[in-house]
Amino acid sequence: MHVIDTPLIAGIHDKAAKKIGWRRANMVRTLLSEVFRHAIPQGLIAANYAKDVIPKRRPRDRAYANRPWTIEERDIVLSRAKPHVRVALALMMNTGLDPSDALKLRKDQIDGDTIWGVRGKTGEEVAIPVSPTLQAALDSIPGHEAATVLASSQGGPWTYNGFSTVWHRFKTGLEEEGLIAPGLTLKGLRHTVATTLREAGLDERRIADLLGQKTPSMARHYSRSANLADKNRETMATLEKENARRAKIVKPSAEKRQTRP
């Protein structure tokens, strides 16, 4: 009979990694840790024996699941996308919103030059300034009667599965033409925003504020969100400037390739 202790949980973790992979093994570890954490106050177990089990690292040779998009890929995708698809991608590209949150965004959540919302995954409030680039995209939205900002070609709200299907078909076509590299995902746009801002020198806390990655707090008040919007305005300005700088670097390079004999 086994006594529950950290070595036992570590062994279970190791076996899980071999059988179901490193990511799911880490999920098993997290689940056990939560079970133990809630069982301790009930007197059912003496300690959280999963807490000190070291999570499995992502294999170095494993492809990045949601890699950042390059400036060239963003330009090509936007230039080839149909209007109702283009504005959806532009919204994700210029806010860092999760795809599901972007598709559900309501018109009444845009107040002046700020998007007010709650991140669906965590319940965290977000206050995202509307940059000039995003405003231009929003102004180009084909007219529709849906309550959401975005709508399909039929004028109704997008479903996540519906947009994902349209995106996959569109992306596959661009890959077959050799215009983009494999691996572009909708969630990758969120990673793109974070990566761009990090490379521009902003600290992780400011990036997390923009992306709604703080620990949810029931005590958050509207005034605090307003302050957050002001700070995020500076963050968004950095993203706008960095994207413009990178676009200027890419454009001359592309022109040289086209004129090369």
Side-chain angles (χ1 to χ4, degrees), residues 92-153:
M92 299 174 203
M93 194 177 293
N94 290 282
T95 61
L97 282 171
D98 186 86
S100 59
D101 292 333
L103 296 173
K104 294 177 183 176
L105 185 68
R106 303 187 312 276
K107 294 175 181 177
D108 61 12
Q109 288 180 264
I110 301 181
D111 182 12
D113 61 355
T114 304
I115 295 173
W116 302 94
V118 176
R119 190 180 175 208
K121 185 176 181 180
T122 63
E124 182 69 15
E125 292 181 1
V126 292
I128 305 174
V130 178
S131 67
T133 299
L134 177 56
Q135 187 61 60
L138 294 176
D139 291 341
S140 70
I141 295 178
H144 63 84
E145 299 300 321
T148 51
V149 174
L150 306 174
S152 67
S153 57

Side-chain angles (χ1 to χ4, degrees), residues 3 6 21 24 29 77 81 90 98-99 125 140 171 193-194 220 241:
V3 175
T6 297
R24 291 185 178 181
R29 171 192 171 277
V77 169
D98 186 86
E125 292 181 1
S140 70
K171 176 184 69 170
V193 170
R220 168 135 346 143
K241 290 178 181 178

